[in-house]
Amino acid sequence: MNRRSFLHGVGYTAGVSLSAVILDRAGFSQSSRPGAAPAGGPYKLPPLPYAYDALEPYIDAETMHLHHDKHHASYVEHLNTAVAGHPDLASRTVEDLVAHLDSLPEEVRTAVRNQGGGDANHSFWWPILSKSGGDEPSGDLAKDIDAQFGSFTRFQEQYSKAAAGVFGSGWAWLTFAPDGKLQIETSANQDSPLSSGRTPVLGVDVWEHAYYLKYQNRRPEYVAAFFHIVNWDFVSGQYAAAKKAQHT
Ligand code: MN3
């Protein structure tokens, strides 16, 4: 698996500037080379799996440019900075690092939690979104959502309420737990459910950078729009993989 990363977060204004400088130095133009990875370091910014305007009108192209090329890129850069001098860490995937924070040297633990979490969360998130998304899950995921939440509509209501209720910056998740249950949870900042032993199946970024240009303070409207672009085929695949991994 290719290592993936990104960043955001603590002092992201500075992070954006750093990222822009590095992109320029590497000779990349973000308009002509969407998603081009900043040079240097083991972790790379994955390209967006669609055009910047693919999610219009639900998520605008300008937001996608900033979110992917600046915020995510900044997480990756800061993660690379954090693991410089730790080749033993740099050989591991960012998901592995985030899932085992306790195994990390104390001096890098917070940076991996924030910047590595930012990378892992966004790399997980982009493929969840699709222009042809929306609708509802099918198959195993649909069956298990019905069993645990009553119906897809009830799940959607609870999930949207959780997302709207995140205080400050964070994420709302549907996760798969070791006990075989799906659950709705939220995390602050860039904390990942992986750090608590649960596998993300669905996520929505509720940092203001994810929606403020278009929706301003209307986060519930953004979350409602999100459900129009969820790629349930992909999400169902994530769920199937998580269940399978539990049995191996
Ligand atoms: Mn974000």
Side-chain angles (χ1 to χ4, degrees):
M1 175 200 295
N2 291 332
R3 273 192 217 98
R4 303 165 303 170
S5 30
F6 27 6
L7 46 59
H8 241 81
V10 181
Y12 69 71
T13 302
V16 166
S17 303
L18 172 67
S19 172
V21 166
I22 289 168
L23 286 165
D24 287 344
R25 192 191 301 144
F28 294 140
S29 151
Q30 57 178 101
S31 57
S32 62
R33 294 281 300 274
Y43 298 98
K44 307 296 183 193
L45 177 68
L48 264 191
Y50 34 70
Y52 292 101
D53 63 358
L55 306 177
E56 298 264 13
Y58 302 107
I59 300 180
D60 58 289
E62 186 179 6
T63 294
M64 293 302 289
H65 270 288
L66 290 167
H67 202 170
H68 178 270
D69 302 354
K70 304 297 185 183
H71 292 286
H72 189 167
S74 174
Y75 291 123
V76 176
E77 281 305 311
H78 283 103
L79 176 62
N80 281 327
T81 300
V83 301
H86 294 272
D88 52 321
L89 301 183
S91 66
R92 295 163 61 181
T93 65
V94 66
E95 290 81 7
D96 184 44
L97 297 182
V98 168
H100 301 96
L101 292 175
D102 288 349
S103 73
L104 307 179
E106 191 175 349
E107 68 266 24
V108 304
R109 198 173 299 148
T110 299
V112 170
R113 178 178 174 178
N114 291 331
Q115 314 298 348
D119 181 17
N121 291 342
H122 288 83
S123 290
F124 172 77
W125 198 49
W126 306 126
I128 282 178
L129 308 175
S130 169
K131 187 180 194 65
S132 55
D135 205 6
E136 295 184 9
S138 57
D140 226 21
L141 180 59
K143 183 167 62 70
D144 291 350
I145 284 177
D146 285 350
Q148 289 188 228
F149 300 99
S151 67
F152 177 73
T153 300
R154 288 188 62 183
F155 158 74
Q156 195 173 358
E157 287 169 1
Q158 291 177 47
Y159 188 87
S160 300
K161 188 176 175 185
V166 173
F167 183 75
S169 298
W171 292 74
W173 306 98
L174 176 67
T175 61
F176 182 68
D179 65 1
K181 292 285 173 60
L182 286 165
Q183 65 183 62
I184 293 169
E185 61 184 288
T186 63
S187 68
N189 303 312
Q190 295 298 351
D191 287 353
S192 166
L194 292 169
S195 301
S196 304
R198 293 183 292 278
T199 305
V201 174
L202 178 71
V204 62
D205 185 344
V206 294
W207 283 61
E208 286 185 346
H209 66 231
Y211 63 87
Y212 212 85
L213 283 180
K214 183 178 178 70
Y215 296 96
Q216 290 82 49
N217 61 327
R218 304 186 305 279
R219 188 193 286 178
E221 200 176 308
Y222 156 73
V223 174
F226 161 76
F227 275 102
H228 287 276
I229 48 173
V230 173
N231 181 346
W232 287 109
D233 287 342
F234 178 82
V235 173
S236 297
Q238 296 294 114
Y239 183 53
K243 285 183 91 166
K244 188 177 176 188
Q246 190 186 45
H247 295 109
T248 55

